[in-house]
Amino acid sequence: MNQQEAHPPVPTSDTSLPRKVAIFGGGLAGLAAAQSLSAKGMQVDLYEARPRLGGRASSFIDQTTGEQIDNCQHVAMGCCTNFFHFCKQAGIGSHFRRLETLHFVDQQGRRSELKNGPWPAPFHLTGSFLRMRHFRWRERGQIALAMRQLMSTPTSDLCFEDWLNQQQQSDRVLRDFWHVILVSALSESLDRIPYSAARQVFVQGFLSHRDAWKVSLPTVPLHELYGETLQTHLQEQGVTLHLQSRIKELTTQGNSIKNVVMANEEQVSADAYVLATPWTAIPKLFPTVEPPPRFIQQAEQLESAPISSVHLWFNRSLSDETHAVLLGRVSQWIFNRSAIQNIENPERHYYQIVISQSRELSSWSQDEIVQHVLKEIASVWPESMMQAQLVHSRVVREHHAVFSIPPDAESDRPDQVTEYENLLLAGDWTETGWPATMEGAVRSGYLAAEKLLQVWGIPARILQPDLPRSGFINHLGLIRG
């Protein structure tokens, strides 16, 4: 087998019988593949090592409060067309709340709002931008010029921090504008973000469409979002679920997969296999294959970025606001979980603080993190914090929350098609054209399903189109590429 060139599964002429597909991994990528393949009549078995679906999108019970808490606050922007398509198909689309306004608070406590004005994209946010109280007019000019350059420059070999320095952005603009948006979207520091990923966030997420930037939040814990309703939908569509079923290794035969051996030594056979596991697990599933195929080498070069969440319960409400975006602080987002999820408990009011790309916290104790976050919250809601009492706190650290790709390796993500003719990959870490997001995960599952069906003679367009650029942009040619 030529291990340097991936090729699609071998097509066969008989398409009258449903093909059996075994999918390993019950996160969003595996779920999207299972949903789309079963909808096309395939016989799908979905194997998940945990006792629940959702993968990294998980919840657990806090023993002190008895409440379900999420490992991290998951959000989706309006530009995530495939993620919302999946949720609608699976019957869970109603479990989201869309924010029409984002609230920003700087270090001096000055508040600004991001919301649409009356103008078409890309000028729909101009009014909010001009009213941002934490930037001087000179700094707003810096941002506007760099944004215009982003729109007209499709590619650059520089990391985004170097590109911004080339655009003469001040330190405060770097910290309070570019960093605060990109660390939330990509969970990485500016020096580790490729230009292409950063440009996509701003062009596709803020400039191309009036609704692209609008953030949606789950109104239920993640275990419920990806729980009974989703499981019932998949089962009614013919998907056989195998929970608490851990994959051990894949047995190869020439340039194909012979079968899959599970942790209990059960052997699983299918016409095709989809690996939707974390990238860190991929090399371990081929212990005897030498030299390793190209897709394994690509998975091994991926790194990870941590995300930390601080969960706080107070004896009274701090604010009726659902959230706040914090500038110039360690804390980045405050989410009022009691308000978002309509939790009614007069004795406990629940807030979650998210810190993406939290490498600097690795040496901090949990108490140090909590005390630092409390001081930062006091600068946002000072009067409420003077009267509130902390009832309980908990810090959750996800050390491998998302994959991270150094800028010089951005183009080296593995395709969904592998060197083995009946094996495909799915995961946000595969080549989707998107960064490490829920949208990227669903796209990878749709792409894997689409490519598999194509070679089986079942042409299907599963991947959903992006939000259309405004006619104003197209007419004037404001965005290149």
Side-chain angles (χ1 to χ4, degrees):
M1 179 180 64
N2 183 349
Q3 294 182 330
Q4 299 305 312
E5 294 183 4
H7 53 79
V10 174
T12 58
S13 57
D14 183 9
T15 60
S16 60
L17 297 176
R19 303 299 183 82
K20 183 174 182 180
V21 183
I23 300 173
F24 301 91
L28 276 172
L31 292 169
Q35 146 71 28
S36 50
L37 286 169
S38 60
K40 296 298 182 181
M42 300 300 105
Q43 180 183 340
V44 177
D45 285 75
L46 178 62
Y47 297 83
E48 166 56 44
R50 305 183 194 189
R52 53 158 187 81
L53 300 175
R56 286 174 284 166
S58 62
S59 308
F60 60 92
I61 296 178
D62 178 72
Q63 297 301 319
T64 301
T65 64
E67 294 181 17
Q68 288 277 353
I69 65 177
D70 297 339
N71 63 335
C72 190
Q73 176 67 56
H74 283 62
V75 302
M77 296 175 67
C79 56
C80 297
T81 55
N82 287 273
F83 174 74
F84 287 118
H85 174 267
F86 167 77
C87 291
K88 181 179 179 180
Q89 296 298 310
I92 59 176
S94 62
H95 294 317
F96 287 87
R97 175 176 179 176
R98 190 168 79 167
L99 304 180
E100 300 292 335
T101 302
L102 293 182
H103 303 281
F104 293 81
V105 185
D106 72 2
Q107 289 178 303
Q108 284 71 47
R110 293 174 295 191
R111 296 171 178 270
S112 301
E113 293 183 343
L114 184 71
K115 59 183 178 181
N116 278 346
W119 304 286
F123 303 115
H124 53 298
L125 297 172
T126 302
S128 292
F129 174 67
L130 294 177
R131 289 190 295 271
M132 284 187 171
R133 302 172 61 193
H134 45 276
F135 292 125
R136 303 181 184 94
W137 284 106
R138 176 175 54 83
E139 292 169 329
R140 294 170 192 164
Q142 291 178 13
I143 297 170
L145 289 174
M147 200 72 75
R148 182 66 187 95
Q149 194 68 19
L150 261 183
M151 294 168 65
S152 61
T153 308
T155 62
S156 173
D157 293 332
L158 299 175
C159 76
F160 199 59
E161 183 178 61
D162 289 345
W163 186 87
L164 289 172
N165 288 331
Q166 195 177 73
Q167 307 306 311
Q168 299 180 328
Q169 305 292 286
S170 71
D171 290 342
R172 200 158 77 99
V173 167
L174 289 174
R175 182 194 68 194
D176 290 349
F177 183 79
W178 300 105
H179 171 80
V180 73
I181 292 175
L182 289 173
V183 75
S184 300
L186 303 177
S187 301
E188 264 300 359
S189 55
L190 295 177
D191 63 317
R192 292 178 58 85
I193 294 176
Y195 174 86
S196 58
R199 183 179 190 266
Q200 182 178 29
V201 169
F202 284 99
V203 171
Q204 197 162 341
F206 286 90
L207 298 171
S208 295
H209 191 282
R210 285 176 56 85
D211 293 332
W213 66 273
K214 293 181 179 178
V215 169
S216 291
L217 308 175
T219 56
V220 296
L222 294 176
H223 86 285
E224 184 176 339
L225 182 65
Y226 302 116
E228 184 177 347
T229 300
L230 177 57
Q231 291 189 36
T232 299
H233 164 76
L234 291 173
Q235 290 168 336
E236 288 178 347
Q237 200 160 274
V239 177
T240 302
L241 300 177
H242 305 266
L243 300 179
Q244 294 182 291
S245 299
R246 184 178 298 277
I247 184 174
K248 179 182 178 182
E249 64 179 291
L250 287 84
T251 304
T252 62
Q253 188 174 50
N255 64 349
S256 66
I257 302 299
K258 179 181 179 182
N259 57 40
V260 172
V261 180
M262 306 302 291
N264 63 0
E265 300 303 326
E266 173 192 358
Q267 295 187 3
V268 175
S269 297
D271 296 308
Y273 306 86
V274 179
L275 278 183
T277 62
W279 73 95
T280 53
I282 295 295
K284 305 171 187 176
L285 300 178
F286 299 85
T288 61
V289 177
E290 289 292 342
R294 174 65 175 155
F295 71 89
I296 294 181
Q297 299 175 36
Q298 290 172 303
E300 288 178 324
Q301 62 96 31
L302 297 177
E303 301 174 9
S304 59
I307 299 177
S308 298
S309 292
V310 183
H311 303 264
L312 303 173
W313 288 264
F314 296 92
N315 66 342
R316 57 168 291 160
S317 174
L318 302 181
S319 171
D320 292 332
E321 295 177 349
T322 56
H323 71 282
V325 185
L326 306 186
L327 307 180
R329 299 173 175 88
V330 171
S331 305
Q332 295 153 4
W333 286 76
I334 302 175
F335 293 100
N336 183 344
R337 297 297 294 270
S338 291
I340 294 168
Q341 298 183 359
N342 294 317
I343 301 173
E344 296 184 3
N345 186 332
E347 299 179 355
R348 285 197 303 268
H349 298 264
Y350 174 26
Y351 296 82
Q352 182 176 1
I353 291 79
V354 176
I355 307 170
S356 298
Q357 202 282 101
S358 56
R359 292 186 183 93
E360 65 177 286
L361 302 186
S362 60
S363 61
W364 293 25
S365 68
Q366 293 209 10
D367 185 63
E368 286 174 327
I369 294 174
V370 169
Q371 293 305 315
H372 188 93
V373 166
L374 288 174
K375 291 179 182 178
E376 294 186 334
I377 296 177
S379 69
V380 179
W381 297 310
E383 294 183 5
S384 296
M385 284 294 288
M386 289 179 62
Q387 302 174 47
Q389 179 181 348
L390 182 67
V391 176
H392 177 55
S393 64
R394 181 158 190 166
V395 178
V396 177
R397 308 187 208 218
E398 291 284 323
H399 297 288
H400 303 286
V402 296
F403 76 89
S404 174
I405 301 180
D408 58 356
E410 169 65 9
S411 61
D412 203 30
R413 291 160 66 177
D415 192 85
Q416 290 77 40
V417 174
T418 74
E419 289 88 335
Y420 297 103
E421 63 185 14
N422 57 346
L423 175 67
L424 295 101
L425 305 176
D428 61 359
W429 49 274
T430 62
E431 182 51 61
T432 65
W434 272 67
T437 57
M438 295 187 292
E439 172 71 6
V442 173
R443 280 177 176 252
S444 73
Y446 281 1
L447 285 168
E450 200 172 272
K451 293 175 180 180
L452 180 58
L453 291 172
Q454 181 181 2
V455 299
W456 278 351
I458 310 172
R461 178 62 175 173
I462 299 173
L463 193 70
Q464 299 300 298
D466 296 331
L467 290 177
R469 289 178 179 174
S470 75
F472 192 77
I473 290 175
N474 292 331
H475 180 69
L476 297 181
L478 296 175
I479 297 177
R480 292 183 56 197

